[in-house]
Amino acid sequence: KPSDLVFSNEGKYLFVTTEKSGMLEKINPYLGKAISLAETGKNSAALALTGKDKIFVVNSGSQGVTVIDAIDMSRIKKYDINTGEKPSGIVLDHEEKYAYVANKESNTLTAFDIETYKPMLEIPVGDSPTAMVHNKHQGEKGYIYVANEKSNDISVINASEGKEIKRLKAGLKPA
């Protein structure tokens, strides 16, 4: 089943992860079919695309992030970027210097450098983080809002400080 999708930077192609197959599909929506495939890790859960045509694919089954070139669908990095347990979501900062991965079972975010692919820090958050959004209009590097499914709240992360600064109440199972 499809688990996430994103359009290419020029809006010509649609990239879709399929959770069970471990593949990333490049679809031409005008032809209505996949034109290319790239192998990712187990249980692909989320995608992020940079302005430089790098696709980061979060793999919850293999606990890492695969980096794919959006143009030729080749693997940019031979091995996956390590994350916490059961990664489920990804968001890029507004300058596209860092990526943040939500780790559902370790209750953390893994922050890594987009150019070096090196994990920089683990940020503790609420119970079972899933979806995230980056707000570039707050603070120097912006704030990241993280939906915590089991603790029914939203963690607010100051990206400049790399730490949770508060929690907001949310409804049942935000995602």
Side-chain angles (χ1 to χ4, degrees), residues 122-142:
E122 291 285 317
I123 305 167
V125 293
D127 195 5
S128 199
T130 54
M132 296 178 292
V133 67
H134 181 263
N135 183 344
K136 69 179 181 178
H137 302 292
Q138 293 177 296
E140 184 183 326
K141 292 184 180 177

Side-chain angles (χ1 to χ4, degrees), residues 143-158:
Y143 285 11
I144 300 160
Y145 291 79
V146 184
N148 301 307
E149 188 176 45
K150 288 185 181 174
S151 54
N152 301 318
D153 55 24
I154 309 293
S155 291
V156 181
I157 309 299
N158 181 324

Side-chain angles (χ1 to χ4, degrees), residues 68-162:
I68 303 288
D69 182 303
I71 305 301
D72 66 9
M73 296 293 280
S74 65
R75 220 175 153 111
I76 293 174
K77 186 173 178 337
K78 186 174 181 178
Y79 300 103
D80 285 354
I81 300 163
N82 292 328
T83 63
E85 293 179 51
K86 203 88 160 150
S88 59
I90 187 168
V91 69
L92 307 175
D93 74 339
H94 67 284
E95 294 176 331
E96 293 189 353
K97 289 184 178 183
Y98 306 105
Y100 298 85
V101 177
N103 302 305
K104 200 169 185 173
E105 289 186 5
S106 53
N107 302 323
T108 61
L109 299 187
T110 300
F112 67 86
D113 184 293
I114 286 176
E115 292 302 318
T116 66
Y117 310 117
K118 291 189 173 142
M120 301 173 343
L121 66 134
E122 291 285 317
I123 305 167
V125 293
D127 195 5
S128 199
T130 54
M132 296 178 292
V133 67
H134 181 263
N135 183 344
K136 69 179 181 178
H137 302 292
Q138 293 177 296
E140 184 183 326
K141 292 184 180 177
Y143 285 11
I144 300 160
Y145 291 79
V146 184
N148 301 307
E149 188 176 45
K150 288 185 181 174
S151 54
N152 301 318
D153 55 24
I154 309 293
S155 291
V156 181
I157 309 299
N158 181 324
S160 297
E161 297 174 12

Side-chain angles (χ1 to χ4, degrees), residues 15-111:
F15 298 97
V16 180
T17 59
T18 51
E19 186 178 2
K20 296 295 179 196
S21 74
M23 300 296 279
L24 174 68
E25 295 182 56
K26 184 176 187 177
I27 296 172
N28 182 323
Y30 307 104
L31 296 176
K33 64 180 183 177
I35 59 168
S36 188
L37 294 171
E39 192 174 326
T40 63
K42 288 172 61 179
N43 300 89
S44 300
L47 293 172
L49 174 67
T50 72
K52 294 180 180 176
D53 292 315
K54 283 183 190 178
I55 303 172
F56 293 94
V57 183
V58 174
N59 306 302
S60 64
S62 51
Q63 299 187 46
V65 176
T66 304
V67 187
I68 303 288
D69 182 303
I71 305 301
D72 66 9
M73 296 293 280
S74 65
R75 220 175 153 111
I76 293 174
K77 186 173 178 337
K78 186 174 181 178
Y79 300 103
D80 285 354
I81 300 163
N82 292 328
T83 63
E85 293 179 51
K86 203 88 160 150
S88 59
I90 187 168
V91 69
L92 307 175
D93 74 339
H94 67 284
E95 294 176 331
E96 293 189 353
K97 289 184 178 183
Y98 306 105
Y100 298 85
V101 177
N103 302 305
K104 200 169 185 173
E105 289 186 5
S106 53
N107 302 323
T108 61
L109 299 187
T110 300

